[in-house]
Amino acid sequence: MTARAHLQGILMGIPFRYVVPVIVVFALLFFTWKPFSYTSYGPLTGLSNTVSQSSIDAGSLDHHLSSGPRRANATFIILCRNSDLEGIIHSVREIEDRFNRNFGYPYVFLDEEPFSEEFKGRISVISASSMEFGVIPPEFWYQPSWIDEEKAAAARKQMDADNIIYGGSLSYRNMCRFNSGFFFRHPLVQKYRYYWRVEPGVQFHCNIDSDPFLFLQDNNKTYGFTITLYEFESTIRSLWKTVQEFARLHPHYIHKDNALAFISNDNGFNYNLCHFWSNFEIADMDFWRSDVYMSFFNFLDEKGGFYYERWGDAPVHSIAASLFLPRDAIHFFDEIGYQHAPYSHCPLNMERWSRGRCSCDQQHSFDYDGYSCLARWESAI
């Protein structure tokens, strides 16, 4: 079977049988690393070829590291506004109390406008860790020149009339596009490999006594989540069709051990709307910076769906991770109790709940709620 025929099987219901790519992620100790690559089989010849990752200079990765316990080359990334100050104080206080006071990872705060002195002053006293505050370049934030604003404005108006959440918001669309394709390219973030995304007003229910960054690094994991659920179909009506088009053009990008079964109930003919809730992510930015993902993002971006519809970074990240990574590179951080209103993850394992001194009510955990996709994830792996 050719790779193109194999791809058609993905999209039309033919089961997987043959190897496409094998991913190798190098995670070396003491913060030395090599850019990883995807080894795959070409769509016509079956000969192996390498898709190299776009990477940053490895020599720039060590300057922020300090002596002491082993740490990964990682940071917290927080996208917020000056008006989010109280919510961010709460979130940073939570992550410091439950985890970072014992690990000392740095923070990067990003906004499209400069942070005020009050914001920086009140945040900086919460933690002894390094904190950097950056402005997002306009080309990373605002809609690109090829977007037909008249068409985009009409779409926003209609979605607002249809009471679709954030349907009328241009800034929300800018944020989704930024989180999909640009945050990992910001100058302040370039020196880091791993990140933990934190948002205003979140809560961490349990003590985190082991290092999730090192867990990813030492176990060849790429993407970690705590909550998974269904997307609003009305916000991504043409997204899956666009993904199918990209897959037809690049069948060699589809990993042979992928998690397609998580995001599709019929071997790729339709998208079941399941996605990892990306307001919490602990992940390897080498994946987002890779030629595979950047080709995918640029293809989506040129279609304009971030503005003509309301494509979110959560389904974009989730689809990419599910198709381009091996299943075992995606990890459910069950031990990290987490809440972003209105949903909460609380470890259901009593020993884990007790060991983490969790404050959450297990009966209110979202894990197996009817709107949760966790059971689908468990069946896919």
Side-chain angles (χ1 to χ4, degrees), residues 22 40 75 97 120 124 153 168 182 220 222 237 242 274 286 292 296 324 346 371:
V22 176
S40 60
T75 184
D97 288 348
K120 291 185 285 187
S124 62
F182 294 95
N220 290 337
T222 302
R237 294 194 185 280
T242 306
C274 284
D286 280 6
V292 174
F296 178 67
F324 308 141
C346 186
Y371 199 59

Side-chain angles (χ1 to χ4, degrees), residues 78-332:
I78 303 180
L79 177 65
C80 59
R81 300 178 184 274
N82 285 305
S83 58
D84 293 320
L85 177 57
E86 299 302 328
I88 288 299
I89 288 174
H90 173 86
S91 297
V92 173
R93 181 73 276 163
E94 287 272 323
I95 199 66
E96 284 292 315
D97 288 348
R98 289 297 196 174
F99 169 72
N100 203 46
R101 63 180 177 177
N102 296 321
F103 292 87
Y105 281 101
Y107 292 81
V108 174
F109 297 86
L110 300 175
D111 187 14
E112 80 271 24
E113 297 180 354
F115 287 102
S116 68
E117 292 305 313
E118 178 191 6
F119 185 100
K120 291 185 285 187
R122 291 185 61 190
I123 288 293
S124 62
V125 298
I126 297 176
S127 172
S129 294
S130 168
M131 293 186 174
E132 294 181 283
F133 302 85
V135 176
I136 298 168
E139 62 272 20
F140 283 12
W141 186 259
Y142 297 106
Q143 64 193 73
S145 59
W146 62 82
I147 295 298
D148 182 339
E149 174 53 24
E150 184 176 348
K151 178 181 177 181
R156 293 196 300 271
K157 182 178 180 180
Q158 184 60 55
M159 293 180 76
D160 190 49
D162 293 338
N163 294 316
I164 296 171
I165 187 169
Y166 303 118
S169 174
L170 176 58
S171 63
Y172 188 84
R173 287 168 169 81
N174 290 338
M175 179 192 70
C176 289
R177 179 173 177 263
F178 173 77
N179 281 331
S180 294
F182 294 95
F183 80 91
F184 49 87
R185 292 190 269 173
H186 190 280
L188 291 183
V189 178
Q190 284 291 295
K191 57 182 172 283
Y192 300 109
R193 177 173 178 179
Y194 297 95
Y195 73 100
W196 182 332
R197 178 169 161 182
V198 179
E199 294 203 348
V202 299
Q203 184 174 350
F204 292 92
H205 298 303
C206 309
N207 290 345
I208 306 166
D209 296 324
S210 59
D211 188 333
F213 295 122
L214 287 178
F215 176 83
L216 262 61
Q217 176 177 296
D218 294 344
N219 293 278
N220 290 337
K221 304 293 184 181
T222 302
Y223 187 90
F225 71 96
T226 57
I227 293 176
T228 174
L229 70 167
Y230 294 96
E231 179 62 294
F232 296 106
E233 185 174 11
S234 56
T235 66
I236 54 165
R237 294 194 185 280
S238 69
L239 177 58
W240 189 246
K241 179 181 177 181
T242 306
V243 171
Q244 290 175 316
E245 184 181 353
F246 178 82
R248 292 188 188 99
L249 293 171
H250 304 284
H252 50 292
Y253 286 166
I254 310 299
H255 200 281
K256 75 168 180 93
D257 293 323
N258 63 56
L260 177 65
F262 169 62
I263 58 174
S264 178
N265 302 340
D266 52 16
N267 262 357
F269 191 80
N270 294 288
Y271 177 36
N272 63 15
L273 307 178
C274 284
H275 66 281
F276 308 118
W277 215 22
S278 61
N279 50 69
F280 173 100
E281 292 179 322
I282 303 178
D284 184 346
M285 286 184 284
D286 280 6
F287 176 56
W288 308 133
R289 293 166 178 151
S290 71
D291 289 343
V292 174
Y293 181 78
M294 285 307 304
S295 295
F296 178 67
F297 169 74
N298 289 334
F299 187 84
L300 299 185
D301 200 27
E302 290 170 4
K303 296 294 183 179
F306 291 104
Y307 294 96
Y308 301 143
E309 296 179 16
R310 205 222 67 190
W311 294 354
D313 54 276
V316 170
H317 281 187
S318 302
I319 290 170
S322 297
L323 292 181
F324 308 141
L325 292 173
R327 292 189 301 274
D328 63 8
I330 303 172
H331 181 71
F332 172 43

